[in-house]
Amino acid sequence: MKATRRGPIASAAIRLGTAALVAAAPAMSRAQEMLKGVDLSQPAYSASEFSREEIVTALKSRKDNAAPLDFSGKSLNGADLSGLDLSNVNFRAARMVRTRLSGARLDHAILDQAWLLEADLTGASLIGAHFFAAQLQRAKADGADFSRARITADLTGASLRGAKFIEANLSADMKNQSMGLMRAVLSSAVAEGANFTAADLMNADLRFLHAAGADFSGAGLQGANAAGADFTGARWDGVKADALDLDSAQVDAAAAQDALKDAANLDRARIK
């Protein structure tokens, strides 16, 4: 299917969003460099205030009509929470460095400004979860389900093989710029075989993303920066790729001639 043509108003909006993104780059860089100067060996980033048993007890004692558990601002670093049902739990600004959450259910959980560096989210369900300004660098989330989640988080170097981002919103937040223009950062992440069907990736940072065999059917990638990314064998049915930067990216010839023909720097892509 060919990419949908944009009218002058839509194209102008995309250019405006891209211009705003460029103008806000210094502020965004400051926000994403917040890790500098942070000593991750401190107990606040290396220890947990709660044992698995204490969290399990809290989950069991919660009644159906009770307010969701609130671990906002708490330290859960390295805790083994694998397989637990943590749906709707508030983890705002929680420190969860290297926390084990494999197979856990975090549907509609609040993870805004949470620290999930090198956390293990393998096979976790994060449907409808909210990640604003969250730190997930080098997280392991192979097979995780981020469908319909709102993600303006840093996933630099994360492992996302086979992960689902169906109808997820990873676009730039054009309204809230108090911390710089926030967007999903998947720079150098490994998302081979991931599913981005109908996801919103407008203005997202996809530089050097390893997304061979990924499915971007119906996704919106307008203005995203995918310089150096690997899209070999990816699916693009119905994709919106206006101003998608493909400088030095690897793309299939068929996609370059059809679905990605409106992308930027296509002449500089590595077409196979």
Side-chain angles (χ1 to χ4, degrees), residues 9 133 139 154 162 169 176 240:
I9 295 177
D154 192 339
N169 187 348
N176 190 337
K240 304 172 188 67

Side-chain angles (χ1 to χ4, degrees), residues 49-173:
E49 299 178 50
F50 305 93
S51 67
R52 177 183 174 91
E53 290 71 24
E54 289 173 325
I55 294 175
V56 168
T57 298
L59 289 169
K60 287 182 178 179
S61 63
R62 181 181 59 178
K63 296 181 180 180
D64 292 339
N65 59 350
L69 289 179
D70 188 349
F71 288 102
S72 56
K74 302 299 183 181
S75 293
L76 298 163
N77 306 291
D80 181 7
L81 308 182
S82 55
L84 298 183
D85 187 350
L86 301 164
S87 300
N88 301 301
V89 173
N90 184 1
F91 292 106
R92 189 187 307 275
R95 294 173 292 278
M96 305 170 76
V97 178
R98 301 188 181 93
T99 298
R100 286 168 284 176
L101 292 155
S102 58
R105 183 175 294 279
L106 294 113
D107 296 344
H108 304 287
I110 299 173
L111 292 147
D112 296 346
Q113 299 178 312
W115 295 67
L116 288 149
L117 284 75
E118 300 180 11
D120 186 356
L121 292 156
T122 304
S125 179
L126 298 122
I127 297 172
H130 202 276
F131 298 83
F132 175 78
Q135 305 291 328
L136 289 93
Q137 294 93 324
R138 302 179 301 282
K140 185 176 181 181
D142 298 333
D145 192 347
F146 294 89
S147 296
R148 299 187 296 282
R150 179 62 173 117
I151 305 170
T152 52
D154 192 339
L155 292 97
T156 298
S159 183
L160 306 168
R161 292 181 177 86
K164 296 179 182 178
F165 293 88
I166 300 170
E167 297 181 355
N169 187 348
L170 300 94
S171 66
D173 187 342

